[in-house]
Every structure is written in C-alpha cells, then in structure tokens.
Amino acid sequence: MPSNTENQLPLTEATLMIMLSLASAPKHGYAIMQDVEALSEGRVHLSTSTLYGALKRLLEDGWIDRTNRSESSDEGRPRKVYALTRMGRRVLEAEIERLHDLVAAARLRTSEAEP
Amino acid sequence: MRLSARLLRHLYRVLLRLYPRSFRVEFGAEMEDVFTEAVAETSARGRRYLVGLLLRELGDWPGALLIVHWHKLQKDWTMSKPTTDGSTPCTGPQTCEEPLEPSPWPEPLLAGLPHALVALFVVIQSYVCSSLSQRGASATENMLGAAFVLAGALVMLIAWRRGWPPWSASWLPYAFLLLAFLLRELLELWRLPLGNWRLMVLLPGLYRNLFLPLALGGAIMLLSLRHRLRFLLAVLPLAVLVWQLALEFVPIRDAIEAAGWLSAAVVAVLIARAGSLRKRTWLTLGLSMGVGLVYTYVGTYHIQFPTSAPAHYHTAPTLLDWWNQLALGTLVTGVLILSPLLVTKLRRLIRRASRTNRLGFDIALAGITLLLMTDLVTAWWFGQGAEVIQLTLGSEATRLVWLIAPAIVGLLLCVVSAAMLNAGLAQREATAGDRIALFAIFALILTPALGALPLLAGVWEMRTVSSLWWHALGLPWLALAVWSIGHRSTRRSAGAEV
C-alpha cells in the first residue's frame, strides 16, 4: 500500500459510509443517501450538505469519479452517478484493514483482561 | 408538486446561495433535486419523518457550509501562493503556467541563436558587402535576408511541432517584425490604386502609429500573463531595438549594433539557464541598461550630423544631452519590461478577490495596455516617426487626436476600473481605509498617462527631463500596488489561519 494512502486515514464516518455504499455499484446522490441509511441500519442519516461536501472532496482527491446517467431526475435533469476509482478502492481497503486490526487489537486486550 | 414542497424547495435554493459560487455551479442543481426527492419521499411516510429530515438538513447545514468555505479558502490560497521559483501552482490547463525551471541544454542556445544571427547579418552586411560592387552587395543582402527568413520559418515550424517550447519566444519578435513587414507590403499594394492621396498617406500612418504598437503591446502583455520566461526572452530584442534609435548618425553604428546583438544572444542564453524569475528579470534589465548606456553615450559624443543639418545640431554635446537620451530610453524600456511583469503579478494577487474586482482588474489591464501603447508610439515619435506623423496626419489638431486617443481611452478605463475595484472591495466588507488605499493606488496607475499631458497641452517637445518625470511615476505606482495588495493578502490569510 503506498504511504500516501496511509496518510489519508482514518476516514470520517460519513466518508467511509459513502465509499462503502459505492463499493458495490455506482450510485446517484439520493441512492447514496438511502443506501448509507440502510447500511448503518438507520443509525447514520446523511444530509444533502454533508453528502455533497464529502462528494466534492472525494472527487478532488480522485477517489471517486462522476458520469451522467441516461435516467433523469424529477426535474428532467440527467442524474450524476458516482463510482469508486481504483485509488478510492485502495483507500477503502486500507481503511477496512486498519479498522480490522484495531478491532482485533481491542478484542485481544479485552480478552486478556477477562478473569 | 404540493405548495409546501415548492416552498421548501424555494427556501432550500435560498440557502444554497450561501455556498461558494463554484460549489453551487458544480452541485447546486443536483443538491436541489436530491432534496426535493427526499422531501417527497419523507412526506409520503408521514409528517414526523419530514420534520426529522428538515431538522437534520438545518442542523448539518451551518457546519457543512463552513467546511466548504474553509476548503475553498485553503485551495485559493494554495493556488495563489507563489512557489519558490516565482511560478504559480497549476489549477487546470487554462490557468496552468509552465514551471520556471532552467531549460536543459541545448535549448538555451536556441534562445540566443536568433540574436547571434542578427549580429552576423549586421557584420556581413557592413564589412563584407562594403567590399563588393553595388549589385553584388545587394544580391548578398537579399540572399542573407532570405536565408534568415527561411531559418526563422523552419525554427517556427519546429517550435510549433514541439508545442512552442520556451526558447521559441526569442524568435517571436522577429516573426512579428516579418509579419509586420509583409502586412505593410500588402497595404502598399492595396492602397496605391485607391486614388485618394490623403487616404493613401493616412493608411500607412495609422498602421505604424496605431495598429503596430497596439498589436505589439497586446502580444507582449498576453505573453507575460501566460508565461514570464517567454515574455522576458521576447522582450529582450525589443529593448535593444528601442535603444538603437540613439545610434542614428553614428559612423561606427554597425560595429556597436553587432556587439549589442551578440550581448543579447549571451543574455538570452543566461536567462534560459537562470533558476529564478528574479535573476531573469535582472538579466533583462541589466542588458537593457548596459546597451542603453553604451548606445546613448556613443549617440551623444560620437555622432556625426550631415553638413546640411541646422547649425544648432553641430554644437558640442553636453552631459544633459546624454542624460536626456538615457532617461527617455530608460523610461520606454522600463515600461516595456517591467509593466507587463508587474501587471501579471498584480493580476495573480487580485484573482482571489470578488467577481467585480476581477472584472475591474481586467478593465485596468486594458487601460494599462493602451497606456503602454502610448509609450511605444512616443518612442517611435522620437525616432523616425515625427516626419511621417506630420505628413500623414495633416493638421496639428488631427495629429493630437490620433496620438493621444489611446492614452485617453486607457486613462478612462483605469478610472472605471478603480471605481469597480472599489465597489468590489465594498462587497467584500473591506474597511474604509482599505478601500481608499486601493482606490488611490489604482487611480494612480494611470499616472503613465500623464506623459501624454504635454501632448494635450500642445507642448510637442517632450525631450526635456522635467516633463518625463511625470511619466516616470507610473512604474513606482504600479510596484506600490503590487506590494500593497500582496501585503494585504498575506496579512489577511495569516489572520485567517490564526
């Protein structure tokens, strides 16, 4: 894993959830909001301002990219669809690995503390 | 869509106005669509869900807005912050300036080559052709000229194929002069059959007095805004050409000219190899001043007027005569070299400001460019243009209008820009002190136009130092504007970081 990927970690909860949502398939803005809610079992609700603030940063970092989809919104505008880039996927995998190590370390420590 | 949904959408649109413009353009419509969809869906689920959605949107909105603004500020600051080599970090293909790192060998040699060829041309023309018969000399000169033009065309073709590398800028002034010559010849062909004597005389006058200086000034300003190394390489031979006006009636003119062009070749190589913009600027100014000192000294003390010249031309030259020539040339070459650089710097500093400021600045740029044109016309006026202007522009009143028109338009544009910059600052909630200071600075950028005031007053003889001092104030004012805006920007950014 390149060191510059490590520098970007840890991700904020909103960023992680958005990237997880895009890991399975490209989605448009509203679909991401709904998916994040489902993914977190109703715990995380993204507002439009948080979602698009995060999407802008992810686009600037090159972790996601954007295309126009053929289907349109209610206003007749073509929907923009976001997808993880290869770099974004690497970052997401690194974050999952980091969280996994953290959980493993936490499990080990709590099991040692048990009488 | 229900009334409440329409109202909510409208309110949301109002809130979106508080985001930075670039963010709004990129995401505004999409955010609005997503918000509308979310409202429609939660409304269907029940009022409780809708209230939850609205509270969430309102609760998240101030923090998200602050973060977006903060990121934009950081990005703008990084973009406008100069790097150690004097270039500005790239923001995209439109605004990206090439790095100012030294050109690798043999590119610097190609930057110096055209000036060395001109020196060779002058030597051959002067010393080889003089030993030939008139016919042979003429044929040799034509052959040399054609070879130079062909070499230039070949080099331009190579430069074009390679995407105009920096060294190609050294060849641009020659390409410009060649183009100007060809245009003049075309104009000659076109105007001769006109039959109207006045128009036939007026057209070349307008071409030389108005079109050429405007095209040249516009080209060097554009070059400076895009790439400062290219600009310095291109302006170098122009500065030498301006000083050449001092060599009229000098018997050893050819030898001095050849030495001047050879020096320009060496300095062009050094400029291409220098590692910083500051070094490059000093090299350009150094060559200009060095050439100017020698040319004006020779043009004052080693001059030989024809015996038919009026008696006062034959009086012994004084130190003041030398000083007058030097002051005039220094002003013209100084404006030529420094103004575009200062304007470029100023533009980069002010680009961070509001839209009105940017528009105001672009108008100021047009004004300053016109004033630069006036400088070029004035330089030509003192060279060989006086008789042509007198002949072509008829009465004194007409001459006045044609000579000062660009300066007056430039002056008016500067006043408009000063007002717009002031209005732009008012939008940015600047203090009254800031606004007054900036208004004064920008209003006084038009000081170079004061050089045109003696023309306005009908005083034609500008070759006196006292009238030129007014003219000289323009550059320090421009420098002050750059320093002041740079200082304020730095101070504000430092404050924001604290």
Side-chain angles (χ1 to χ4, degrees):
Chain A
M1 185 174 55
S3 57
N4 57 353
T5 309
E6 280 173 353
N7 292 341
Q8 310 290 333
L9 305 181
L11 302 177
T12 61
E13 191 179 27
T15 307
L16 176 63
M17 294 306 251
I18 292 168
M19 289 177 79
L20 279 174
S21 167
L22 296 176
S24 54
K27 290 181 184 69
H28 58 78
Y30 189 54
I32 297 172
M33 276 172 81
Q34 286 178 313
D35 197 41
V36 165
E37 204 173 322
L39 200 65
S40 65
E41 294 175 338
R43 193 178 53 82
V44 178
H45 299 275
L46 289 177
S47 65
T48 49
S49 48
T50 306
L51 172 67
Y52 281 94
L55 286 177
K56 179 163 177 65
R57 283 197 299 283
L58 290 172
L59 280 167
E60 281 174 356
D61 290 340
W63 295 357
I64 61 171
D65 57 20
R66 177 174 47 184
T67 47
N68 279 336
R69 190 178 265 187
S70 53
E71 67 174 278
S72 303
S73 67
D74 292 348
E75 293 304 304
R77 283 189 278 255
R79 281 188 197 278
K80 301 256 178 12
V81 176
Y82 300 88
L84 271 187
T85 60
R86 194 175 292 173
M87 197 208 294
R89 200 167 286 277
R90 274 210 306 269
V91 173
L92 181 63
E93 281 164 7
E95 174 70 341
I96 292 168
E97 202 178 322
R98 189 190 69 81
L99 288 171
H100 182 267
D101 291 348
L102 188 69
V103 170
R107 288 240 165 90
L108 187 68
R109 184 56 60 92
T110 48
S111 63
E112 279 172 3
E114 276 172 14
Chain B
M1 197 189 288
R2 287 170 56 187
L3 180 67
S4 57
R6 273 212 302 271
L7 185 70
L8 284 173
R9 188 186 178 115
H10 185 73
L11 284 172
Y12 189 77
R13 201 178 289 166
V14 172
L15 289 181
L16 280 178
R17 301 285 303 171
L18 294 167
Y19 278 97
R21 187 181 149 76
S22 56
F23 187 89
R24 258 193 351 256
V25 168
E26 192 175 0
F27 297 107
E30 208 179 327
M31 284 173 82
E32 212 179 299
D33 287 345
V34 170
F35 177 74
T36 310
E37 270 185 84
V39 166
E41 202 230 324
T42 48
S43 301
R45 281 160 68 185
R47 190 172 291 175
R48 190 165 63 91
Y49 289 101
L50 179 63
V51 172
L53 171 81
L54 294 179
L55 286 176
R56 196 164 56 240
E57 286 290 337
L58 273 177
D60 280 359
W61 177 76
L65 184 74
L66 273 178
I67 289 171
V68 168
H69 274 288
W70 174 244
H71 276 279
K72 187 173 183 309
L73 265 176
Q74 275 183 320
K75 201 175 158 190
D76 288 357
W77 172 240
T78 317
M79 270 162 22
S80 54
K81 202 164 153 186
T83 54
T84 46
D85 63 359
S87 64
T88 309
C90 298
T91 58
Q94 304 303 315
T95 52
C96 181
E97 176 170 322
E98 287 174 41
L100 286 167
E101 61 205 26
S103 305
W105 296 106
E107 286 191 7
L109 293 177
L110 287 169
L113 185 62
H115 315 318
L117 284 177
V118 174
L120 189 70
F121 184 82
V122 172
V123 169
I124 293 176
Q125 190 192 30
S126 175
Y127 300 103
V128 178
C129 292
S130 59
S131 59
L132 299 171
S133 65
Q134 198 178 351
R135 204 170 166 185
S138 174
T140 312
E141 276 175 15
N142 287 341
M143 232 162 59
L144 278 173
F148 189 74
V149 169
L150 279 176
L154 188 68
V155 168
M156 286 285 110
L157 187 71
I158 293 169
W160 173 64
R161 297 275 304 212
R162 290 187 182 180
W164 301 107
W167 57 261
S168 64
S170 275
W171 296 77
L172 289 179
Y174 300 103
F176 181 90
L177 290 175
L178 179 67
L179 209 65
F181 170 76
L182 290 175
L183 269 174
R184 198 194 69 179
E185 293 302 304
L186 277 175
L187 193 71
E188 284 290 307
L189 284 175
W190 181 72
R191 80 185 172 103
L192 285 175
L194 280 176
N196 183 331
W197 181 86
R198 201 166 178 77
L199 204 62
M200 282 163 65
V201 181
L202 188 67
L203 278 176
L206 284 180
Y207 175 72
R208 287 173 193 152
N209 289 306
L210 214 60
F211 175 75
L212 271 188
L214 272 173
L216 183 61
I220 62 168
M221 195 63 91
L222 204 67
L223 211 55
S224 165
L225 289 171
R226 295 226 168 150
H227 197 288
R228 286 170 286 180
L229 167 59
R230 287 197 174 108
F231 160 74
L232 288 173
L233 285 174
V235 87
L236 195 72
L238 296 177
V240 176
L241 275 174
V242 168
W243 285 114
Q244 254 177 228
L245 297 172
L247 291 180
E248 205 182 1
F249 301 116
V250 172
I252 49 164
R253 178 185 178 139
D254 291 338
I256 292 169
E257 259 187 39
W261 287 116
L262 271 181
S263 313
V266 172
V267 171
V269 173
L270 292 175
I271 287 174
R273 282 298 298 165
S276 74
L277 180 73
R278 187 171 295 183
K279 271 188 200 165
R280 286 167 170 158
T281 310
W282 279 117
L283 278 167
T284 314
L285 286 170
L287 174 88
S288 176
M289 278 319 295
V291 165
L293 276 168
V294 175
Y295 280 22
T296 50
Y297 179 82
V298 176
T300 308
Y301 292 105
H302 295 276
I303 202 160
Q304 216 170 62
F305 286 112
T307 44
S308 57
H312 70 272
Y313 276 75
H314 296 285
T315 53
T318 64
L319 194 63
L320 188 65
D321 291 332
W322 183 26
W323 170 242
N324 282 347
Q325 287 216 59
L326 193 64
L328 178 71
T330 305
L331 283 174
V332 174
T333 52
V335 167
L336 200 66
I337 297 165
L338 285 179
S339 285
L341 285 179
L342 288 170
V343 167
T344 304
K345 174 88 177 163
L346 200 58
R347 185 173 184 251
R348 281 169 194 205
L349 287 169
I350 215 156
R351 280 269 158 190
R352 275 175 282 165
S354 71
R355 214 174 149 197
T356 320
N357 264 357
R358 287 202 296 271
L359 183 63
F361 181 76
D362 287 340
I363 292 176
L365 192 64
I368 292 165
T369 309
L370 277 170
L371 297 176
L372 183 63
M373 301 312 102
T374 317
D375 282 313
L376 291 171
V377 173
T378 313
W380 187 67
W381 165 263
F382 286 125
Q384 52 187 327
E387 289 80 8
V388 180
I389 289 170
Q390 209 160 1
L391 187 69
T392 51
L393 297 182
S395 72
E396 192 165 315
T398 322
R399 287 200 300 256
L400 270 171
V401 168
W402 281 115
L403 279 171
I404 63 171
I408 290 173
V409 175
L411 188 141
L412 286 174
L413 287 176
C414 280
V415 173
V416 172
S417 75
M420 290 195 73
L421 287 163
N422 196 33
L425 275 180
Q427 283 175 4
R428 306 281 291 183
E429 294 175 0
T431 64
D434 282 352
R435 288 161 59 189
I436 291 167
L438 243 94
F439 186 87
I441 288 163
F442 274 89
L444 284 164
I445 283 179
L446 54 84
T447 315
L450 290 175
L453 284 184
L455 289 173
L456 261 175
V459 182
W460 289 94
E461 187 54 66
M462 275 178 68
R463 255 180 162 165
T464 55
V465 175
S466 58
S467 65
L468 287 171
W469 286 124
W470 282 106
H471 200 82
L473 283 173
L475 274 184
W477 272 116
L478 204 53
L480 180 62
V482 169
W483 174 83
S484 169
I485 293 177
H487 178 69
R488 276 162 200 283
S489 306
T490 316
R491 202 181 56 191
R492 271 192 199 145
S493 298
E497 277 172 18
V498 170

